[in-house]
Amino acid sequence: MSEPISIDIWSDIACPWCYIGKRNLEKGLEAVAGDDDAPQVNVTFHSFELSPDTPVDFDGDEIDFLAGHKGMPRDQVEQMLANVTGVAEKAGLQYRFDLLQHTNTVKAHELLHFAKAQGLQHQLEERLMSAYFTEGKHVGRIDDLVALAVEVGLDADAAREALETEQYLPAVRQDQAQARAYGIQGVPFFVIDGQYGISGAQPPAAFENVLRDLWSKRGDAELEGDAEAEAAAV
Protein backbone atom coordinates (compact mmCIF):
# COMPACT_ATOMS: atom_id res chain seq x y z
CA MET A 1 0.00 0.00 0.00
CA SER A 2 1.44 3.35 -1.07
CA GLU A 3 1.81 6.15 1.45
CA PRO A 4 -1.03 8.71 1.15
CA ILE A 5 -0.36 11.90 -0.78
CA SER A 6 -0.12 14.87 1.57
CA ILE A 7 -1.95 18.09 0.74
CA ASP A 8 -1.07 21.03 2.97
CA ILE A 9 -3.27 24.08 2.49
CA TRP A 10 -2.44 27.57 3.68
CA SER A 11 -5.62 29.61 3.93
CA ASP A 12 -7.50 32.25 5.89
CA ILE A 13 -11.10 32.06 7.07
CA ALA A 14 -11.63 35.58 5.70
CA CYS A 15 -10.34 34.75 2.20
CA PRO A 16 -13.19 34.24 -0.30
CA TRP A 17 -10.91 32.47 -2.77
CA CYS A 18 -9.84 30.02 -0.04
CA TYR A 19 -13.38 28.70 0.38
CA ILE A 20 -13.75 28.41 -3.39
CA GLY A 21 -10.37 26.63 -3.60
CA LYS A 22 -11.39 24.29 -0.80
CA ARG A 23 -14.58 23.36 -2.60
CA ASN A 24 -12.75 22.84 -5.91
CA LEU A 25 -10.22 20.57 -4.19
CA GLU A 26 -13.06 18.55 -2.69
CA LYS A 27 -14.60 18.12 -6.13
CA GLY A 28 -11.23 17.00 -7.48
CA LEU A 29 -10.86 14.49 -4.64
CA GLU A 30 -14.37 13.21 -5.28
CA ALA A 31 -13.53 12.66 -8.95
CA VAL A 32 -10.35 10.64 -8.31
CA ALA A 33 -12.08 8.63 -5.57
CA GLY A 34 -13.90 6.79 -8.35
CA ASP A 35 -10.66 5.58 -10.01
CA ASP A 36 -9.88 1.87 -9.97
CA ASP A 37 -6.67 2.69 -8.13
CA ALA A 38 -7.89 5.76 -6.24
CA PRO A 39 -5.19 7.99 -4.73
CA GLN A 40 -5.08 8.04 -0.94
CA VAL A 41 -4.84 11.58 0.39
CA ASN A 42 -4.25 13.35 3.71
CA VAL A 43 -5.37 16.99 3.81
CA THR A 44 -4.16 19.45 6.48
CA PHE A 45 -5.07 23.12 6.82
CA HIS A 46 -2.51 25.70 7.93
CA SER A 47 -2.89 29.24 9.22
CA PHE A 48 -2.38 32.38 7.14
CA GLU A 49 -3.65 35.83 8.17
CA LEU A 50 -4.35 38.14 5.27
CA SER A 51 -4.96 41.19 7.48
CA PRO A 52 -3.58 40.56 10.98
CA ASP A 53 -4.06 44.22 11.95
CA THR A 54 -7.85 44.03 11.50
CA PRO A 55 -9.79 44.76 14.72
CA VAL A 56 -12.05 42.03 16.10
CA ASP A 57 -15.06 44.35 15.83
CA PHE A 58 -14.56 46.21 12.55
CA ASP A 59 -16.85 49.21 12.15
CA GLY A 60 -18.17 48.90 8.62
CA ASP A 61 -19.06 46.39 5.93
CA GLU A 62 -16.84 44.45 3.55
CA ILE A 63 -16.90 47.27 1.01
CA ASP A 64 -15.72 49.72 3.68
CA PHE A 65 -12.89 47.38 4.65
CA LEU A 66 -11.63 46.70 1.14
CA ALA A 67 -11.97 50.32 0.06
CA GLY A 68 -9.89 51.37 3.05
CA HIS A 69 -7.46 48.47 3.04
CA LYS A 70 -6.75 48.44 -0.68
CA GLY A 71 -7.48 52.08 -1.42
CA MET A 72 -9.98 51.13 -4.14
CA PRO A 73 -13.05 53.16 -5.11
CA ARG A 74 -16.28 51.73 -3.68
CA ASP A 75 -17.79 51.02 -7.09
CA GLN A 76 -14.70 49.04 -8.06
CA VAL A 77 -14.91 47.05 -4.82
CA GLU A 78 -18.59 46.33 -5.47
CA GLN A 79 -17.74 45.06 -8.96
CA MET A 80 -14.95 42.88 -7.55
CA LEU A 81 -17.25 41.35 -4.93
CA ALA A 82 -19.91 40.69 -7.55
CA ASN A 83 -17.31 38.83 -9.61
CA VAL A 84 -16.20 36.72 -6.63
CA THR A 85 -19.84 35.97 -5.79
CA GLY A 86 -20.36 34.67 -9.32
CA VAL A 87 -17.28 32.44 -9.17
CA ALA A 88 -18.37 31.14 -5.77
CA GLU A 89 -21.81 30.32 -7.12
CA LYS A 90 -20.25 28.16 -9.82
CA ALA A 91 -18.45 26.28 -7.04
CA GLY A 92 -21.77 25.74 -5.27
CA LEU A 93 -21.35 28.49 -2.65
CA GLN A 94 -23.81 31.30 -1.94
CA TYR A 95 -21.72 34.23 -0.69
CA ARG A 96 -23.49 37.00 1.25
CA PHE A 97 -21.11 39.93 1.40
CA ASP A 98 -24.07 42.09 2.49
CA LEU A 99 -24.23 40.09 5.75
CA LEU A 100 -20.50 39.46 6.26
CA GLN A 101 -18.97 40.70 9.51
CA HIS A 102 -15.32 41.49 8.86
CA THR A 103 -13.06 40.59 11.78
CA ASN A 104 -9.63 39.49 12.93
CA THR A 105 -9.17 35.75 12.32
CA VAL A 106 -6.32 34.81 14.66
CA LYS A 107 -8.69 33.24 17.22
CA ALA A 108 -10.37 31.24 14.46
CA HIS A 109 -6.96 29.89 13.48
CA GLU A 110 -6.20 28.99 17.09
CA LEU A 111 -9.51 27.13 17.27
CA LEU A 112 -8.68 25.24 14.08
CA HIS A 113 -5.49 23.95 15.67
CA PHE A 114 -7.48 22.91 18.74
CA ALA A 115 -9.93 21.10 16.43
CA LYS A 116 -7.04 19.43 14.62
CA ALA A 117 -5.85 17.96 17.92
CA GLN A 118 -9.37 16.54 18.38
CA GLY A 119 -9.56 15.13 14.85
CA LEU A 120 -12.21 17.66 13.76
CA GLN A 121 -10.20 20.21 11.80
CA HIS A 122 -11.95 19.61 8.47
CA GLN A 123 -15.40 19.89 10.03
CA LEU A 124 -14.53 23.14 11.78
CA GLU A 125 -12.85 24.65 8.71
CA GLU A 126 -16.05 24.11 6.74
CA ARG A 127 -18.23 25.42 9.57
CA LEU A 128 -16.20 28.61 10.02
CA MET A 129 -16.08 29.43 6.32
CA SER A 130 -19.78 28.78 5.88
CA ALA A 131 -20.61 30.88 8.93
CA TYR A 132 -18.47 33.76 7.69
CA PHE A 133 -19.26 33.87 3.98
CA THR A 134 -22.81 32.55 3.71
CA GLU A 135 -24.48 33.18 7.09
CA GLY A 136 -23.09 36.51 8.27
CA LYS A 137 -21.92 35.11 11.60
CA HIS A 138 -19.06 36.58 13.62
CA VAL A 139 -15.92 34.40 13.70
CA GLY A 140 -13.59 36.64 15.68
CA ARG A 141 -15.03 36.67 19.19
CA ILE A 142 -14.46 33.83 21.63
CA ASP A 143 -18.14 33.33 22.51
CA ASP A 144 -19.14 33.06 18.85
CA LEU A 145 -16.28 30.70 18.07
CA VAL A 146 -17.11 28.41 20.99
CA ALA A 147 -20.70 28.19 19.78
CA LEU A 148 -19.52 27.15 16.31
CA ALA A 149 -17.05 24.68 17.84
CA VAL A 150 -19.89 22.96 19.72
CA GLU A 151 -21.83 22.57 16.45
CA VAL A 152 -19.09 20.29 15.05
CA GLY A 153 -18.77 18.23 18.21
CA LEU A 154 -16.05 20.03 20.17
CA ASP A 155 -16.29 20.51 23.92
CA ALA A 156 -17.31 24.06 24.81
CA ASP A 157 -15.26 24.40 28.00
CA ALA A 158 -12.12 22.92 26.43
CA ALA A 159 -12.47 25.14 23.36
CA ARG A 160 -12.95 28.25 25.49
CA GLU A 161 -9.95 27.42 27.66
CA ALA A 162 -7.77 26.85 24.58
CA LEU A 163 -8.77 30.25 23.18
CA GLU A 164 -8.53 32.21 26.43
CA THR A 165 -5.07 30.81 27.24
CA GLU A 166 -3.82 31.14 23.64
CA GLN A 167 -2.75 27.51 23.87
CA TYR A 168 -2.49 27.12 20.10
CA LEU A 169 -1.18 30.57 19.18
CA PRO A 170 2.39 29.18 18.85
CA ALA A 171 1.06 26.63 16.33
CA VAL A 172 -0.53 29.46 14.34
CA ARG A 173 2.75 31.36 14.32
CA GLN A 174 4.63 28.23 13.28
CA ASP A 175 2.32 27.81 10.27
CA GLN A 176 2.91 31.43 9.32
CA ALA A 177 6.68 31.00 9.62
CA GLN A 178 6.49 27.96 7.34
CA ALA A 179 4.50 29.98 4.82
CA ARG A 180 7.24 32.61 4.78
CA ALA A 181 9.86 29.88 4.35
CA TYR A 182 7.95 28.58 1.31
CA GLY A 183 7.64 32.11 -0.04
CA ILE A 184 3.85 32.06 0.17
CA GLN A 185 2.48 35.58 -0.23
CA GLY A 186 -1.14 34.85 -1.07
CA VAL A 187 -3.74 32.20 -0.34
CA PRO A 188 -5.06 29.66 -0.95
CA PHE A 189 -1.77 27.89 -1.49
CA PHE A 190 -1.57 24.11 -1.79
CA VAL A 191 1.64 22.16 -1.17
CA ILE A 192 1.28 18.64 -2.49
CA ASP A 193 3.62 15.95 -1.20
CA GLY A 194 5.95 18.69 0.00
CA GLN A 195 7.18 19.28 -3.54
CA TYR A 196 4.45 20.74 -5.75
CA GLY A 197 2.90 24.15 -5.14
CA ILE A 198 -0.50 25.17 -6.50
CA SER A 199 -1.48 28.81 -6.01
CA GLY A 200 -5.00 30.15 -6.08
CA ALA A 201 -8.48 28.66 -6.42
CA GLN A 202 -7.68 26.33 -9.30
CA PRO A 203 -10.46 24.28 -10.98
CA PRO A 204 -11.10 20.70 -9.81
CA ALA A 205 -9.38 19.24 -12.90
CA ALA A 206 -6.06 20.78 -11.85
CA PHE A 207 -6.12 18.80 -8.62
CA GLU A 208 -7.30 15.65 -10.38
CA ASN A 209 -4.38 15.75 -12.81
CA VAL A 210 -1.72 16.30 -10.16
CA LEU A 211 -3.08 13.62 -7.84
CA ARG A 212 -3.42 11.00 -10.58
CA ASP A 213 0.07 11.76 -11.86
CA LEU A 214 1.66 11.53 -8.41
CA TRP A 215 -0.22 8.36 -7.51
CA SER A 216 0.76 6.70 -10.78
CA LYS A 217 4.42 7.59 -10.27
CA ARG A 218 4.25 6.30 -6.71
CA GLY A 219 2.87 3.00 -7.94
CA ASP A 220 5.56 2.72 -10.63
CA ALA A 221 8.27 3.38 -8.06
CA GLU A 222 6.91 0.65 -5.80
CA LEU A 223 6.84 -1.83 -8.68
CA GLU A 224 10.45 -1.02 -9.49
CA GLY A 225 11.37 -1.45 -5.84
CA ASP A 226 9.65 -4.84 -5.69
CA ALA A 227 11.43 -5.97 -8.85
CA GLU A 228 14.80 -4.91 -7.45
CA ALA A 229 14.08 -6.73 -4.20
CA GLU A 230 13.18 -9.94 -6.06
CA ALA A 231 16.33 -9.69 -8.15
CA ALA A 232 18.45 -9.23 -5.05
CA ALA A 233 16.80 -12.22 -3.40
CA VAL A 234 17.66 -14.40 -6.42
Side-chain angles (χ1 to χ4, degrees):
M1 176 67 70
S2 299
E3 285 291 319
I5 295 171
S6 64
I7 302 180
D8 293 280
I9 308 170
W10 272 261
S11 64
D12 192 359
I13 300 302
C15 167
W17 295 106
C18 290
Y19 199 8
I20 295 169
K22 176 179 179 295
R23 194 59 92 240
N24 286 348
L25 170 64
E26 290 166 352
K27 290 179 180 178
L29 291 173
E30 183 179 351
V32 300
D35 292 357
D36 290 337
D37 182 23
Q40 302 300 304
V41 178
N42 284 335
V43 178
T44 304
F45 291 95
H46 298 276
S47 302
F48 191 102
E49 291 179 88
L50 285 172
S51 303
D53 57 343
T54 303
V56 172
D57 293 301
F58 177 76
D59 185 18
D61 60 18
E62 185 70 355
I63 297 175
D64 293 325
F65 174 79
L66 290 174
H69 186 69
K70 295 183 178 295
M72 298 167 58
R74 287 183 65 88
D75 59 346
Q76 188 177 347
V77 173
E78 290 174 354
Q79 183 178 0
M80 181 179 70
L81 294 181
N83 174 62
V84 175
T85 299
V87 176
E89 188 172 357
K90 292 178 181 178
L93 300 169
Q94 302 297 319
Y95 280 5
R96 292 294 305 272
F97 286 110
D98 57 321
L99 301 177
L100 188 149
Q101 299 186 63
H102 201 84
T103 186
N104 189 290
T105 59
V106 68
K107 285 296 177 187
H109 286 296
E110 290 177 39
L111 188 62
L112 280 167
H113 279 279
F114 168 74
K116 178 183 176 182
Q118 312 302 315
L120 290 170
Q121 187 194 45
H122 291 192
Q123 293 87 335
L124 184 65
E125 181 87 11
E126 176 65 28
R127 187 68 196 97
L128 289 175
M129 286 184 159
S130 176
Y132 187 70
F133 283 109
T134 73
E135 302 167 43
K137 294 190 174 184
H138 205 289
V139 298
R141 298 185 294 246
I142 290 180
D143 286 349
D144 298 276
L145 287 168
V146 169
L148 292 169
V150 170
E151 289 186 26
V152 301
L154 292 165
D155 180 78
D157 291 337
R160 182 178 298 278
E161 180 180 5
L163 292 175
E164 290 179 346
T165 63
E166 298 184 341
Q167 179 182 355
Y168 290 93
L169 183 58
V172 173
R173 300 303 183 219
Q174 184 176 358
D175 275 355
Q176 294 168 332
Q178 183 62 65
R180 289 192 294 271
Y182 278 140
I184 298 172
Q185 297 181 336
V187 288
F189 196 92
F190 305 80
V191 177
I192 301 180
D193 253 9
Q195 54 183 320
Y196 296 99
I198 296 179
S199 178
Q202 299 297 324
F207 297 108
E208 292 176 42
N209 294 336
V210 172
L211 292 172
R212 286 184 173 124
D213 183 55
L214 276 174
W215 195 248
S216 174
K217 289 179 179 177
R218 190 161 295 184
D220 292 342
E222 287 193 355
L223 289 174
E224 290 177 5
D226 291 342
E228 290 174 0
E230 289 179 9
V234 173

